[in-house]
Amino acid sequence: MYTYAALLSDIARLSRAGLKTGSIGKTVLGVPIPYIRIGGADGPQAIVQAAIHAREHITAPLTVGLLEYALETFSREWKARGIYFVPMVNIDGVRLAQEGADFIPDPKRREFLRRVNGSGDFSLWKANANAADLNCNFPARWHTGAENVNAP
């Protein structure tokens, strides 16, 4: 199982190899969401993101593998362009799917999540630590569209 700790280990290794790393922000629980960039920052940029649905955490190591493949095949003329890789967008949700709710320090949030989920088994969980499905917000302008889901 590819965990957040494994991702951080891979990011540290890639950073030591000279790649640009950082954070795009924090999760609901305050965990930094890491990125790795290959190529330059001056030209056009692309983003590859994964593990948006918690139970789809297998996409995180696939994204790291894609990054490593891109590094091997990145041609010289593409060096000014950049690709940002965000292998695990929904870190809190991934941890819920992998570990259950016991890692969450706030007992009220743990109980809320167990109640919304209907059990302590989060293996099929899709959402984040607010029980919001992040994928429901993309085409709908983040909480302004008719199809947005703003509640668990």
Side-chain angles (χ1 to χ4, degrees):
M1 184 176 327
Y2 193 80
T3 63
Y4 181 60
L7 173 62
L8 292 179
S9 176
D10 281 343
I11 288 173
R13 175 178 52 81
L14 293 163
S15 180
R16 285 190 304 274
L19 295 182
K20 170 76 173 157
T21 62
S23 172
I24 63 166
K26 293 186 176 181
T27 68
V28 170
L29 298 178
V31 177
I33 304 168
Y35 73 82
I36 310 105
R37 188 188 78 222
I38 64 173
D42 297 331
Q45 303 294 299
I47 185 169
V48 176
Q49 56 189 17
I52 293 171
H53 279 152
R55 66 183 181 205
E56 296 167 357
H57 47 85
I58 189 64
T59 60
L62 292 172
T63 302
V64 172
L66 177 63
L67 179 153
E68 291 168 336
Y69 174 78
L71 274 175
E72 293 172 10
T73 60
F74 219 41
S75 66
R76 187 165 281 213
E77 60 266 10
W78 284 85
K79 293 292 184 191
R81 298 176 178 127
I83 304 174
Y84 286 82
F85 291 85
V86 185
M88 197 177 287
V89 174
N90 186 4
I91 297 161
D92 300 339
V94 166
R95 288 195 65 195
L96 278 165
Q98 292 177 340
E99 303 172 37
D102 289 342
F103 77 93
I104 297 174
D106 179 7
K108 288 181 181 178
R109 185 179 296 273
R110 279 195 310 266
E111 181 52 38
F112 161 74
L113 290 166
R114 287 182 182 124
R115 189 175 65 252
V116 169
N117 188 42
S119 78
D121 178 5
F122 287 86
S123 60
L124 297 179
W125 188 253
K126 290 171 56 174
N128 68 3
N130 276 343
D133 182 345
L134 302 179
N135 259 351
C136 292
N137 291 294
F138 286 125
R141 296 189 177 180
W142 295 100
H143 298 291
T144 62
E147 294 184 25
N148 251 42
V149 178
N150 295 317

